[in-house]
Amino acid sequence: MSKHQPQELTNERIEAQYDEYLMPIWKSLNVPLRRAAGCTVEDFDGTEYLDVFSGISVTNVGHRNDRVVEAAKDQLDEFVHGCSYVHPNKPVADLAERIAEITPGDLQKTFFCNSGTEAVEGAIKLARKYTGSKEVVALEMAFHGRTLGSLALTGNKAYKDGMTPTINNVTHASAPYSYRCQSCADEDGCTGQCATDIEQVINTHTADDLAAIIVEPVMGEGGIVVPSEDWLARVRDVAHDHGALLVVDEVQTGYGRTGEMWASEHFDVVPDILTQAKGIANGLPLGALTASAEVADSFGAGDHLSTFGGNPVTCAASLATIDALQDGILDHTRTEGEWLSDRLMELEEQYDVVGETRGLGLMQGVELVDPTTTGPAGIAPAPDSELAKAVGTHLRESSQIIMGVGGFHKNVMRFQPPLTISREQLERTVDSLEQAIQANT
Ligand SMILES: Cc1ncc(COP(=O)(O)O)c(C=O)c1O
């Protein structure tokens, strides 16, 4: 049979094409996608799954949201490409203005790109231009992307193996991960040592030629790690004391994920540069970085550009996404996030293998542990990545629920559903998680 002859579309056929024609960089969830709507995705067998992962925290206003689809289609009928700086156009201009309105403080001017990684790369270049300095401090366990610049900032050897050298002048400091923190181990709450460590790292590992400190306000890939209330403000102060900018990477936390438009708002901190992607256009590829006019204007002609960045179709989709978020979805996220957090806390109290549950809004993590063994450095029970993997598989195969499994130790169940998820769907998810834990322990 000719390889171009049409064949029946099946899950197996798609998987076989992947094996043969795609680079093998990822083990998929084994749920090839035929169509999706709201919180539901369907494969080629017609099996419907409840999606509580949103394609890694992207389809915030629901798969194939009507308003977003309509806005994109309308723009497709006008023009598809203008290169945002070659032909100034309305979707790009309107979205930049809208982002200035919805971002905190004096954040005003935006550069558009195509992904989170590119947003981070652009932010570091801008911080270097503005400060005239070179060095960057990032955090252990952080994830900022996989290109050689953003990979240097990512604080996890798993992503770097065989890929070095990355860019230099990057140093890492402690993450605000109180559950496995040496300093917090014998205390009731957070001791704040992680913020102090950033100052210490600057003083001992850098030449104090600091352009930026980059942090996620809630660490996503690291395992839904929520810092203490005053941490982000302390990090900002350390950055400013050293003449550096605070870059807050909201690629995963932005666009309503945590119940506010930006996670920074929970901590009352205005970033100097704010990076965005993922939920920005509900699945159409778009990234952005936003800064004050003073910082942004340090970029001059030719300093940065992207051919596809700021595509008019994706920008139109983004405007519709923001409309939808502000039209009740943010409020819904807050209410349902609180319910979910309380319900997960019950699991933590009930099951020894649930080491910690934590999160903000509809970005919640459940850290699974082996209560019979002590974890790294003798702190907290050992991470149980095997259990997390088994629970994820059980949820998918027995309950038709797609849930992410991640974290630095690969032992965190990730609740990051479309923010439109109903209470009934959340109840089904938590009940199924409980059954999956029981079945695998
Ligand atoms: C905080 C953060 N920054 C950057 C990235 C990279 O984004 P992208 O995959 O769109 O390049 C991610 C992706 O997970 C992320 O979570």
PDB file of all heavy atoms in Angstrom, residues 115-117 120 143-145 216 221 249 251-252 278, ligand 1:
ATOM      1  N   SER A 115       5.873  31.462  22.070  1.00  0.00           N
ATOM      2  CA  SER A 115       5.886  30.419  23.113  1.00  0.00           C
ATOM      3  C   SER A 115       6.409  31.003  24.423  1.00  0.00           C
ATOM      4  O   SER A 115       6.955  32.120  24.448  1.00  0.00           O
ATOM      5  CB  SER A 115       6.817  29.278  22.690  1.00  0.00           C
ATOM      6  OG  SER A 115       8.157  29.749  22.680  1.00  0.00           O
ATOM      7  N   GLY A 116       6.285  30.188  25.470  1.00  0.00           N
ATOM      8  CA  GLY A 116       6.792  30.606  26.769  1.00  0.00           C
ATOM      9  C   GLY A 116       8.304  30.723  26.790  1.00  0.00           C
ATOM     10  O   GLY A 116       8.876  31.653  27.357  1.00  0.00           O
ATOM     11  N   THR A 117       8.945  29.754  26.157  1.00  0.00           N
ATOM     12  CA  THR A 117      10.407  29.768  26.107  1.00  0.00           C
ATOM     13  C   THR A 117      10.918  31.063  25.488  1.00  0.00           C
ATOM     14  O   THR A 117      11.844  31.695  26.006  1.00  0.00           O
ATOM     15  CB  THR A 117      10.899  28.574  25.263  1.00  0.00           C
ATOM     16  OG1 THR A 117      10.474  27.377  25.891  1.00  0.00           O
ATOM     17  CG2 THR A 117      12.397  28.568  25.121  1.00  0.00           C
ATOM     18  N   VAL A 120      10.632  34.036  27.777  1.00  0.00           N
ATOM     19  CA  VAL A 120      11.696  34.061  28.772  1.00  0.00           C
ATOM     20  C   VAL A 120      13.004  34.567  28.144  1.00  0.00           C
ATOM     21  O   VAL A 120      13.704  35.421  28.719  1.00  0.00           O
ATOM     22  CB  VAL A 120      11.877  32.652  29.389  1.00  0.00           C
ATOM     23  CG1 VAL A 120      13.153  32.558  30.195  1.00  0.00           C
ATOM     24  CG2 VAL A 120      10.671  32.307  30.250  1.00  0.00           C
ATOM     25  N   PHE A 143      11.309  25.754  36.132  1.00  0.00           N
ATOM     26  CA  PHE A 143      11.243  25.422  34.702  1.00  0.00           C
ATOM     27  C   PHE A 143      10.928  26.697  33.931  1.00  0.00           C
ATOM     28  O   PHE A 143       9.934  27.372  34.195  1.00  0.00           O
ATOM     29  CB  PHE A 143      10.166  24.376  34.409  1.00  0.00           C
ATOM     30  CG  PHE A 143      10.200  23.929  32.966  1.00  0.00           C
ATOM     31  CD1 PHE A 143      11.084  22.939  32.545  1.00  0.00           C
ATOM     32  CD2 PHE A 143       9.385  24.527  32.018  1.00  0.00           C
ATOM     33  CE1 PHE A 143      11.143  22.548  31.210  1.00  0.00           C
ATOM     34  CE2 PHE A 143       9.441  24.143  30.682  1.00  0.00           C
ATOM     35  CZ  PHE A 143      10.318  23.156  30.280  1.00  0.00           C
ATOM     36  N   HIS A 144      11.803  27.022  32.977  1.00  0.00           N
ATOM     37  CA  HIS A 144      11.567  28.214  32.160  1.00  0.00           C
ATOM     38  C   HIS A 144      11.643  27.903  30.667  1.00  0.00           C
ATOM     39  O   HIS A 144      11.569  28.826  29.859  1.00  0.00           O
ATOM     40  CB  HIS A 144      12.588  29.305  32.509  1.00  0.00           C
ATOM     41  CG  HIS A 144      12.464  29.795  33.923  1.00  0.00           C
ATOM     42  ND1 HIS A 144      11.384  30.541  34.359  1.00  0.00           N
ATOM     43  CD2 HIS A 144      13.262  29.631  35.012  1.00  0.00           C
ATOM     44  CE1 HIS A 144      11.538  30.833  35.649  1.00  0.00           C
ATOM     45  NE2 HIS A 144      12.663  30.285  36.073  1.00  0.00           N
ATOM     46  N   GLY A 145      11.844  26.641  30.292  1.00  0.00           N
ATOM     47  CA  GLY A 145      11.885  26.296  28.872  1.00  0.00           C
ATOM     48  C   GLY A 145      13.103  25.468  28.535  1.00  0.00           C
ATOM     49  O   GLY A 145      13.905  25.118  29.416  1.00  0.00           O
ATOM     50  N   GLU A 216       9.152  31.813  39.093  1.00  0.00           N
ATOM     51  CA  GLU A 216       7.734  31.539  38.870  1.00  0.00           C
ATOM     52  C   GLU A 216       7.025  31.877  40.196  1.00  0.00           C
ATOM     53  O   GLU A 216       7.495  31.448  41.253  1.00  0.00           O
ATOM     54  CB  GLU A 216       7.512  30.060  38.573  1.00  0.00           C
ATOM     55  CG  GLU A 216       8.206  29.543  37.334  1.00  0.00           C
ATOM     56  CD  GLU A 216       8.384  28.026  37.398  1.00  0.00           C
ATOM     57  OE1 GLU A 216       7.452  27.296  37.047  1.00  0.00           O
ATOM     58  OE2 GLU A 216       9.465  27.572  37.822  1.00  0.00           O
ATOM     59  N   GLU A 221       6.081  23.200  36.811  1.00  0.00           N
ATOM     60  CA  GLU A 221       6.734  21.906  36.536  1.00  0.00           C
ATOM     61  C   GLU A 221       7.460  21.384  37.769  1.00  0.00           C
ATOM     62  O   GLU A 221       7.643  20.180  37.939  1.00  0.00           O
ATOM     63  CB  GLU A 221       7.715  22.039  35.365  1.00  0.00           C
ATOM     64  CG  GLU A 221       7.088  22.504  34.059  1.00  0.00           C
ATOM     65  CD  GLU A 221       5.917  21.650  33.637  1.00  0.00           C
ATOM     66  OE1 GLU A 221       6.119  20.470  33.364  1.00  0.00           O
ATOM     67  OE2 GLU A 221       4.792  22.178  33.585  1.00  0.00           O
ATOM     68  N   ASP A 249       7.875  34.909  35.801  1.00  0.00           N
ATOM     69  CA  ASP A 249       7.481  34.031  34.703  1.00  0.00           C
ATOM     70  C   ASP A 249       6.081  33.493  34.995  1.00  0.00           C
ATOM     71  O   ASP A 249       5.901  32.552  35.768  1.00  0.00           O
ATOM     72  CB  ASP A 249       8.506  32.894  34.567  1.00  0.00           C
ATOM     73  CG  ASP A 249       8.196  31.991  33.381  1.00  0.00           C
ATOM     74  OD1 ASP A 249       7.133  32.179  32.758  1.00  0.00           O
ATOM     75  OD2 ASP A 249       9.024  31.108  33.079  1.00  0.00           O
ATOM     76  N   VAL A 251       4.111  32.243  32.670  1.00  0.00           N
ATOM     77  CA  VAL A 251       3.714  31.425  31.520  1.00  0.00           C
ATOM     78  C   VAL A 251       2.649  30.398  31.943  1.00  0.00           C
ATOM     79  O   VAL A 251       1.667  30.183  31.244  1.00  0.00           O
ATOM     80  CB  VAL A 251       4.949  30.731  30.909  1.00  0.00           C
ATOM     81  CG1 VAL A 251       4.561  29.566  29.998  1.00  0.00           C
ATOM     82  CG2 VAL A 251       5.780  31.752  30.131  1.00  0.00           C
ATOM     83  N   GLN A 252       2.836  29.794  33.097  1.00  0.00           N
ATOM     84  CA  GLN A 252       1.909  28.745  33.532  1.00  0.00           C
ATOM     85  C   GLN A 252       0.829  29.280  34.478  1.00  0.00           C
ATOM     86  O   GLN A 252      -0.265  28.741  34.564  1.00  0.00           O
ATOM     87  CB  GLN A 252       2.691  27.614  34.218  1.00  0.00           C
ATOM     88  CG  GLN A 252       1.848  26.396  34.442  1.00  0.00           C
ATOM     89  CD  GLN A 252       2.615  25.094  34.560  1.00  0.00           C
ATOM     90  OE1 GLN A 252       2.132  24.167  35.162  1.00  0.00           O
ATOM     91  NE2 GLN A 252       3.781  24.971  33.986  1.00  0.00           N
ATOM     92  N   LYS A 278       1.132  29.944  27.215  1.00  0.00           N
ATOM     93  CA  LYS A 278       0.134  28.913  27.560  1.00  0.00           C
ATOM     94  C   LYS A 278      -1.318  29.389  27.408  1.00  0.00           C
ATOM     95  O   LYS A 278      -1.858  29.380  26.323  1.00  0.00           O
ATOM     96  CB  LYS A 278       0.405  28.366  28.958  1.00  0.00           C
ATOM     97  CG  LYS A 278       1.639  27.437  28.988  1.00  0.00           C
ATOM     98  CD  LYS A 278       1.640  26.551  30.207  1.00  0.00           C
ATOM     99  CE  LYS A 278       2.893  25.721  30.339  1.00  0.00           C
ATOM    100  NZ  LYS A 278       2.881  24.505  29.551  1.00  0.00           N
TER     101      LYS A 278
HETATM  102  C1  LIG B   1       6.902  28.704  33.913  1.00  0.00           C
HETATM  103  C2  LIG B   1       7.184  28.275  32.497  1.00  0.00           C
HETATM  104  N1  LIG B   1       7.984  29.015  31.736  1.00  0.00           N
HETATM  105  C3  LIG B   1       8.274  28.689  30.466  1.00  0.00           C
HETATM  106  C4  LIG B   1       7.745  27.543  29.904  1.00  0.00           C
HETATM  107  C5  LIG B   1       8.062  27.185  28.480  1.00  0.00           C
HETATM  108  O1  LIG B   1       6.916  27.423  27.705  1.00  0.00           O
HETATM  109  P1  LIG B   1       6.763  26.792  26.246  1.00  0.00           P
HETATM  110  O2  LIG B   1       6.617  25.332  26.398  1.00  0.00           O
HETATM  111  O3  LIG B   1       5.532  27.463  25.699  1.00  0.00           O
HETATM  112  O4  LIG B   1       7.968  27.181  25.472  1.00  0.00           O
HETATM  113  C6  LIG B   1       6.902  26.728  30.675  1.00  0.00           C
HETATM  114  C7  LIG B   1       6.349  25.482  30.114  1.00  0.00           C
HETATM  115  O5  LIG B   1       5.904  24.605  30.799  1.00  0.00           O
HETATM  116  C8  LIG B   1       6.614  27.100  31.998  1.00  0.00           C
HETATM  117  O6  LIG B   1       5.833  26.351  32.773  1.00  0.00           O
END
